[in-house]
Amino acid sequence: MEDDLFADAARQLLQGECTPARVRAIEAGGSPRALWQSLEQAGFADALVPEHAGGAGLALAQLFDVWSQAGAHALPVPLGETMLARALLAGAGAERPPGAIALVQGLLQPDGSLHCEPVRLGAVADSVLVQHAQGWSLLPVAQAQSKPAAFCLDVNLRWSAEQVRAAPAPAIALPGGLDLRTLQAGLVAAQLAGALMEVFQRTLQYANDRQQFGRPIGKFQAIQHQLAVMSEHVFAARMAARLGCAGQGIFPERLRVAVAKARCSQAALAVAEAAHAIHGAMGFTEEYDLQLLTRRLHAWRQTAGSESYWHGVAGAALVHGHAGSTLDLIRSTTDITADITA
């Protein structure tokens, strides 16, 4: 299948280009340019753009494994966001700027300035596509006032009223019920699924390799229990994240995204906790690669809404928008077997 080939190409590229050493270098302030150019030249940034506009014309469901691979490799550039942004701009007939594009919902202030806090991966983006109360704005990062955010590659950005008025305002239209947060939540859920799987596999390997009292610690019942709980969270989250990306075209269904992001965010805490417990003190050290992933699990859990926010969305759909039983709603939400098991 075409999407399998696309995912395999992404896996091979990330294994060679997105090494832990390069992730550390970019987190420390190094340039992401070489890594981004490799991704751009491979055609990933325009994967969601229609073929007639110069892209690959893939659907959202075909990119789940690519986004999952990005999460598994702790990709320190906004590839998924750029895919979505360029597809939205192409759909609006707007010009697509070169370079990496971050996505965020911003707040217009009474004086006309625009505040975006935080902008995910804004520190390594060239521009930001912002949804706000008056529509959309495409703004260059270099012109913004920037302050560090909690995660090292996230930033808080502010543009003056003059800069906002001078920026392009693409006429982007989303289907009813969708907003930028929903699109980003589906993306982040897929990346969480990839990071969760990588953390689990690393932890399983460590448990099989680490010897204590003459045998691997993975042979002890307490460790086996922790690994079993981890696996339940990881595989449930992966299926939920695939559900969030399922469907046709580039727009997901909000309820499916709610299920995906809530389940993946919930799993992030449990899996990170268990992984560090099994690794012991070593897993917390800066030199150990595990922390590159678990820090992202904690950061991505909050991105585009934590499990509490999306539980509320799913609950509202049940209470206010569905006349049947809870089981009927679950069946209607997950009745896409062909899409999520392909």
Side-chain angles (χ1 to χ4, degrees):
M1 295 177 62
E2 184 180 4
D3 49 315
D4 292 332
L5 295 175
F6 211 69
D8 288 341
R11 184 180 299 105
Q12 293 176 16
L13 189 151
L14 292 173
Q15 286 176 347
E17 299 289 339
C18 189
T19 61
R22 174 164 279 182
V23 174
R24 284 186 170 87
I26 293 173
E27 286 189 350
S31 173
R33 191 61 52 195
L35 175 58
W36 179 255
Q37 287 177 348
S38 296
L39 295 166
E40 183 96 59
Q41 291 170 2
F44 291 109
D46 290 316
L48 284 173
V49 174
E51 291 186 47
H52 65 79
L58 298 183
L60 204 65
Q62 295 174 289
L63 289 179
F64 169 79
D65 287 321
V66 175
W67 290 349
S68 178
Q69 284 296 317
H73 288 84
L75 182 65
V77 292
L79 176 62
E81 285 86 349
T82 302
M83 289 179 178
L84 289 170
R86 292 191 180 182
L88 292 173
L89 292 170
E95 183 177 354
R96 305 192 300 273
I101 308 173
L103 295 173
V104 70
Q105 287 185 313
L107 291 176
L108 279 174
Q109 303 302 305
D111 63 358
S113 63
L114 182 60
H115 295 188
C116 301
E117 301 179 357
V119 179
R120 181 175 182 260
L121 296 175
V124 287
D126 298 292
S127 54
V128 181
L129 183 61
V130 186
Q131 185 183 37
H132 50 75
Q134 295 182 6
W136 298 76
S137 295
L138 182 61
L139 295 149
V141 172
Q143 294 181 5
Q145 295 181 6
S146 177
K147 292 183 179 180
F151 184 66
C152 60
L153 298 179
D154 298 347
V155 288
N156 299 323
L157 299 178
R158 298 185 178 187
W159 289 271
S160 67
E162 293 76 13
Q163 290 170 329
V164 174
R165 285 194 295 268
I172 294 172
L174 298 179
L178 286 185
D179 57 8
L180 189 60
R181 171 179 279 189
T182 305
L183 296 182
Q184 192 173 40
L187 160 65
V188 175
Q191 292 183 326
L192 274 167
L196 287 164
M197 182 64 74
E198 182 66 18
V199 167
F200 173 64
Q201 290 176 341
R202 286 172 178 263
T203 304
L204 182 62
Q205 186 64 51
Y206 179 82
N208 287 329
D209 293 342
R210 177 77 165 89
Q211 297 282 327
Q212 189 69 31
F213 304 113
R215 56 176 176 164
I217 62 172
K219 297 294 185 181
F220 293 98
Q221 188 174 15
I223 300 296
Q224 290 176 347
H225 173 73
Q226 288 178 299
L227 289 170
V229 172
M230 284 182 71
S231 69
E232 291 175 358
H233 281 290
V234 168
F235 285 95
R238 187 170 185 83
M239 287 301 297
R242 190 178 289 276
L243 173 72
C245 289
Q248 301 298 319
I250 69 169
F251 297 116
E253 292 189 15
R254 182 169 171 81
L255 182 55
R256 292 174 181 171
V257 171
V259 172
K261 187 58 168 64
R263 189 63 189 88
C264 290
S265 290
Q266 186 178 12
L269 290 177
V271 171
E273 179 182 3
H276 281 297
I278 293 172
H279 277 83
M282 181 188 302
F284 287 94
T285 62
E286 184 177 356
E287 296 81 7
Y288 205 70
D289 291 345
L290 181 67
Q291 55 83 22
L292 295 176
L293 294 162
T294 54
R295 281 191 296 111
R296 282 166 169 79
L297 291 182
H298 286 288
W300 294 348
R301 171 184 170 246
Q302 299 285 348
T303 300
S306 69
E307 64 270 29
S308 296
Y309 174 84
W310 290 106
H311 282 154
V313 172
L318 175 62
V319 174
H320 302 298
H322 183 70
S325 66
T326 303
L327 183 58
D328 289 337
L329 179 63
I330 294 173
R331 285 171 173 167
S332 64
T333 303
T334 59
D335 188 18
I336 47 172
T337 307
D339 289 322
I340 67 174
T341 60

